[in-house]
């Protein structure tokens, strides 16, 4: 057949190739690379969780589950979400188990958007937001966060982006790639805007447990989600999953909590496109929520120590970096070296075999920064710092 | 709660004060002082390498000996447990709940040496009622380290 490219839908053709892809290919061919370019834990899922998955297989539990997901899992999610985020959700009608937050995001956009509806989201951000919005025939509207604000989102910037076509605001705090946390007073202002303009908020809470105190690694700060503000539960889709806190990325398990009507709408897409999440993952998820808290804290504490190690290292080397409140990323400011973030990352890889991701892979406002993930062993982090120091000294 | 620095040393006693200082945002001197304090007051009893006995070519034997005791009017099991602990063959000694009173872990060069220790030293102690000895056959996990590590997770080097 001729001209296959023209057979691809116009909608999809609009979506540019992932900015991270060419970099990935470059890294993959090389040995001796210390990668700070990952976006997932270096831990394997805790053993008791894996063991629950094995038990599921052993006992022959290999069937479809309810479209919404196993009720036992939804009940555990309901308990957990109420304890950690505040609002209570009915496990029978307001919780949907998905194949990761990735699927849940797609479901939410497809459930909410009519062609041309505008969705406000903040950049730099996780790479899937904008394409997912476009694939749902929505129009992505970017609000840029700034280095000077430690990449927190200004409510005034959100207000300025709202138009008659705005339907949804997407939030992600702690943020991938910056690790940013939203100050509670700004969050409250954004909540007020959502209420005032009758908007839906999708909050991607995937890093919510991975939060840090600047002085005491053992201390777990409290987390505030936008859903906890007055008038928000009824207009919020809370997305969460097991990938980061429980180190379960490969299980592909997430969930959405939302008022019944929205859950039903998302469920409609889910039942025809996915049917249900894997039962093995769901069984593992039940075990994670019932008995995983101590392991989550162990991992969080280890990330907290590594974060200190990396912040100390960047300070020593002379690379400015704000201490991000969450996730497992640092977003150092490399603008003083006179290279674009892309050139910085490519040359660092070329010369010292250390992979960091150019900030621009996460949006134009990531220019001047790179994302360095510290979900990697301490010895490797130390070695990466040595190499980065040598690299920037060479830049003069 | 146990001090996180102590916890860190428990996992890796080779962490230097300089490394710990970076992890905990403290002064290396402060850390050194803390460690010296723990060493002085007996909080830190010692340091050792955790080894895989098979790889290390260890040919000795290890026995877990359940010991029943008659408690003493004053001091209960303490005096006799301390006495048992002092033998150099004894590597650990724990007071237990349940069907016996002590677990005594003994390491020696061979079966005969362990048997001799039990027959001559342990069972003959006043207050020892009976012993039941179990020999260790294989080590699967030692001090939190599994002997056969896990294969690496095979993460992709760059992920969004
Ligand atoms: C902000 C953010 N949201 C969602 C995801 C996808 O998560 P899941 O594994 O649950 O699909 C990621 C993964 O990197 C992420 O960083």
């Amino acid at each position: 057949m001729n001209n296959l490219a023209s057979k691809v839908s116009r909608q999809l053709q609009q979506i540019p190739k992932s900015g991270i892809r060419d970099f990935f290919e470059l890294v993959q061919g090389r040995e001796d690379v210390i990668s700070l370019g990952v976006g997932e834990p270096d831990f394997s899922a805790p053993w008791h969780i894996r063991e629950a998955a094995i038990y599921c297989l052993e006992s022959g539990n290999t069937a479809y589950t309810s479209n919404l997901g196993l009720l036992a899992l939804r009940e555990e999610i309901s308990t957990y979400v109420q304890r950690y985020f505040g609002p209570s959700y009915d496990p029978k009608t307001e919780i949907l188990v998905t194949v990761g937050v990735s699927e849940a995001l797609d479901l939410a956009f497809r459930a909410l958007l009519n062609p041309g509806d505008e969705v406000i989201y903040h950049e730099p951000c996780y790479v899937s937001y904008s394409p997912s919005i476009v694939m749902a025939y929505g129009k992505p509207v970017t609000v840029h966060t700034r280095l000077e604000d430690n990449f927190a989102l200004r409510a005034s910037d959100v207000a300025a982006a709202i138009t008659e076509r705005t339907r949804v605001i997407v939030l992600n705090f702690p943020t991938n790639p910056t690790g940013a946390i939203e100050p509670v007073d700004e969050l409250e202002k954004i909540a007020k805007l959502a209420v005032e303009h009758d908007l839906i908020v999708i909050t991607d809470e995937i890093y919510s447990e991975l939060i840090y105190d600047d002085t005491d690694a053992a201390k777990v700060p409290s987390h505030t989600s936008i859903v906890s503000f007055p008038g928000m539960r009824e207009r919020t889709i809370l997305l969460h999953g097991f990938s980061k806190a429980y180190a379960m990325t490969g299980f592909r398990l997430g969930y959405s909590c939302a008022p019944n009507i929205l859950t039903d709408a998302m469920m409609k897409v889910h039942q025809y496109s996915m049917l249900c999440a894997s039962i093995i993952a769901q069984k593992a998820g039940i075990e994670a929520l019932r008995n995983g808290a101590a392991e989550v804290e162990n991992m969080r504490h280890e990330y907290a120590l590594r974060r200190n190690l990396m912040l100390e290292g960047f300070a020593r080397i002379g690379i400015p970096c704000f201490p991000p409140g969450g996730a497992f990323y640092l977003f150092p400011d490399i603008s003083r070296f006179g290279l674009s973030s892309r050139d910085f990352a490519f040359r660092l890889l070329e010369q010292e075999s250390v992979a960091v991701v150019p900030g621009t892979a996460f949006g134009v406002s990531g220019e001047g920064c790179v994302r360095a993930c510290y979900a990697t062993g301490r010895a490797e982090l130390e070695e990466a710092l040595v190499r980065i120091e040598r690299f920037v000294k060479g830049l003069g | 709660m146990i001090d996180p620095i102590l916890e860190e040393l428990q996992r890796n006693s080779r962490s230097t004060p300089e490394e710990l200082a970076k992890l905990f945002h403290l002064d290396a001197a402060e850390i050194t002082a803390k460690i010296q304090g723990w060493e002085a007051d007996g909080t830190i009893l010692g340091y050792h390498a955790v080894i895989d006995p098979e790889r290390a070519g260890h040919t000795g034997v290890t026995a877990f000996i359940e010991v029943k005791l008659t408690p003493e009017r004053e001091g209960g099991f303490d005096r006799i447990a301390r006495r048992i602990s002092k033998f150099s063959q004894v590597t650990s000694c724990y007071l237990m709940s349940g069907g016996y009173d002590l677990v005594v872990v003994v390491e020696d060069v061979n079966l005969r040496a362990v048997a001799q220790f039990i027959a001559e030293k342990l069972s003959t102690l006043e207050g020892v009622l009976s012993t039941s000895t179990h020999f260790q056959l294989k080590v699967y996990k030692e001090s939190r380290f599994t002997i056969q590590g896990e294969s690496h997770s095979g993460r992709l080097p760059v992920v969004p």
Side-chain angles (χ1 to χ4, degrees):
Chain A
M1 201 181 286
N2 286 329
N3 201 5
L4 278 183
S6 73
K7 307 288 181 197
V8 173
S9 87
R10 278 193 300 278
Q11 199 63 12
L12 210 59
Q13 285 183 36
Q14 284 183 32
I15 298 173
K17 261 190 27 208
S18 161
I20 221 168
R21 191 74 221 170
D22 51 344
F23 193 64
F24 172 74
E25 263 144 32
L26 208 67
V27 175
Q28 245 203 343
R30 300 174 57 113
E31 280 171 25
D32 192 31
V33 171
I34 296 182
S35 184
L36 311 182
V38 291
E40 62 181 324
D42 58 325
F43 301 105
S44 289
W47 171 248
H48 67 104
I49 296 173
R50 287 185 270 159
E51 204 269 342
I54 293 169
Y55 179 67
C56 171
L57 285 172
E58 242 169 23
S59 35
N61 271 321
T62 56
Y64 293 132
T65 71
S66 137
N67 293 133
L68 288 170
L70 293 167
L71 182 59
L73 175 57
R74 283 179 276 139
E75 283 168 351
E76 293 296 338
I77 290 169
S78 173
T79 307
Y80 179 77
V81 167
Q82 180 164 21
R83 203 171 59 229
Y84 200 75
F85 297 96
S88 106
Y89 290 94
D90 180 354
K92 294 212 170 71
T93 58
E94 297 182 312
I95 296 174
L96 173 64
V97 176
T98 61
V99 179
V101 170
S102 303
E103 191 215 350
L105 278 164
D106 181 49
L107 296 179
F109 292 133
R110 286 210 264 168
L112 295 173
L113 300 181
N114 292 306
D117 282 348
E118 293 179 2
V119 179
I120 295 173
Y121 69 103
H122 51 100
E123 266 186 13
C125 70
Y126 183 49
V127 297
S128 89
Y129 295 157
S130 171
S132 299
I133 295 163
V134 172
M135 284 191 278
Y137 298 90
K139 183 176 167 218
V141 175
T142 314
V143 172
H144 297 286
T145 57
R146 304 170 171 85
L147 180 59
E148 63 190 272
D149 300 335
N150 291 351
F151 293 100
L153 176 59
R154 292 187 192 177
S156 57
D157 287 344
V158 175
I162 294 173
T163 73
E164 274 173 9
R165 299 288 328 246
T166 308
R167 294 259 294 156
V168 179
I169 303 174
V170 181
L171 300 178
N172 170 227
F173 297 106
T175 310
N176 176 6
T178 59
I181 296 271
E182 184 69 352
V184 173
D185 53 340
E186 285 299 301
L187 204 57
E188 187 173 14
K189 286 185 209 158
I190 296 169
K192 287 200 173 123
L193 284 172
V195 172
E196 188 183 319
H197 295 272
D198 193 19
L199 305 175
I200 299 287
V201 170
I202 298 175
T203 180
D204 177 347
E205 299 281 350
I206 192 138
Y207 292 102
S208 294
E209 288 81 8
L210 303 180
I211 47 180
Y212 314 105
D213 183 88
D214 273 335
T215 53
D216 183 357
K219 187 169 154 200
V220 191
S222 71
H223 172 72
T224 305
S225 165
I226 191 154
V227 75
S228 61
F229 291 103
M232 287 312 293
R233 186 197 177 283
E234 67 212 58
R235 61 180 65 256
T236 300
I237 299 178
L238 183 152
L239 304 184
H240 200 3
F242 296 78
S243 286
K244 314 293 172 170
Y246 296 95
M248 288 172 65
T249 44
F251 279 85
R252 309 306 306 121
L253 191 66
Y255 53 87
S256 138
C257 299
N260 174 240
I261 292 176
L262 299 182
T263 301
D264 268 355
M266 290 170 67
M267 159 75 174
K268 234 187 216 174
V269 186
H270 174 76
Q271 71 181 337
Y272 296 127
S273 60
M274 195 61 68
L275 217 166
C276 67
S278 140
I279 188 169
I280 304 160
Q282 292 191 52
K283 290 281 189 184
I286 293 172
E287 174 61 25
L289 288 174
R290 283 192 186 150
N291 300 312
E295 299 269 12
V296 170
E297 174 50 23
N298 282 345
M299 292 187 272
R300 190 207 65 82
H301 186 253
E302 176 61 25
Y303 294 137
L305 297 179
R306 295 174 184 179
R307 171 180 173 274
N308 289 345
L309 181 83
M310 291 298 283
L311 284 170
E312 209 267 350
F314 282 133
R316 186 186 70 225
I317 297 169
I319 301 178
C321 184
F322 76 99
F328 35 53
Y329 308 108
L330 297 185
F331 208 59
D333 170 10
I334 50 86
S335 57
R336 62 165 55 180
F337 302 106
L339 295 175
S340 70
S341 55
R342 192 183 148 86
D343 286 350
F344 186 94
F346 275 73
R347 283 175 59 177
L348 177 60
L349 179 66
E350 203 54 47
Q351 288 176 27
E352 292 289 350
S353 294
V354 174
V356 295
V357 183
T360 43
F362 309 97
V364 289
S365 39
E367 183 55 270
C369 297
V370 294
R371 189 190 74 175
C373 173
Y374 52 86
T376 284
R378 287 186 214 166
E380 282 189 293
L381 294 177
E382 293 266 19
E383 172 62 19
L385 285 169
V386 168
R387 296 186 190 185
I388 292 171
E389 179 163 28
R390 200 160 51 210
F391 172 70
V392 299
K393 280 209 173 116
L395 294 174
Chain B
M1 211 175 84
I2 174 167
D3 188 307
I5 297 173
L6 199 53
E7 238 176 1
E8 194 52 42
L9 284 168
Q10 205 185 11
R11 267 192 291 270
N12 178 12
S13 62
R14 298 183 66 188
S15 314
T16 63
E18 289 70 29
E19 284 162 359
L20 292 167
K22 287 184 208 162
L23 295 176
F24 292 97
H25 274 339
L26 289 172
D27 246 25
E30 267 175 85
I31 306 236
T32 306
K34 273 192 174 214
I35 295 174
Q36 282 168 348
W38 288 323
E39 286 170 348
D41 71 11
T43 304
I44 293 180
L45 293 170
Y47 303 91
H48 65 202
V50 183
I51 61 166
D52 173 350
E54 220 168 286
R55 278 187 164 272
H58 182 71
T59 53
V61 294
T62 301
F64 291 73
I65 310 170
E66 302 168 6
V67 183
K68 283 191 185 158
L69 301 173
T70 325
E72 293 175 336
R73 170 86 183 242
E74 277 173 50
F77 298 108
D78 286 355
R79 196 188 59 88
I80 185 150
R82 291 206 174 102
R83 208 163 149 190
I84 292 171
S85 302
K86 284 185 183 163
F87 287 103
S88 60
Q89 298 94 326
V90 174
T91 59
S92 306
C93 180
Y94 311 105
L95 181 65
M96 310 295 289
S97 66
Y100 47 89
D101 303 306
L102 294 184
V103 170
V104 179
V105 185
V106 169
E107 273 180 42
D108 216 323
V109 288
N110 55 31
L111 276 177
R112 223 185 49 225
V114 174
Q116 194 174 356
F117 169 74
I118 296 166
E120 291 180 8
K121 308 286 189 220
L122 191 57
S123 332
T124 56
L125 278 177
E126 201 186 319
V128 171
L129 291 174
S130 67
T131 63
S132 168
T133 304
H134 310 270
F135 286 100
Q136 172 191 300
L137 300 179
K138 186 166 177 172
V139 181
Y140 293 96
K141 187 170 185 178
E142 184 68 57
S143 305
R144 302 182 191 188
F145 293 90
T146 41
I147 301 286
Q148 269 211 323
E150 302 212 310
S151 62
H152 263 310
S153 68
R155 280 191 303 174
L156 301 170
V158 180
V159 177

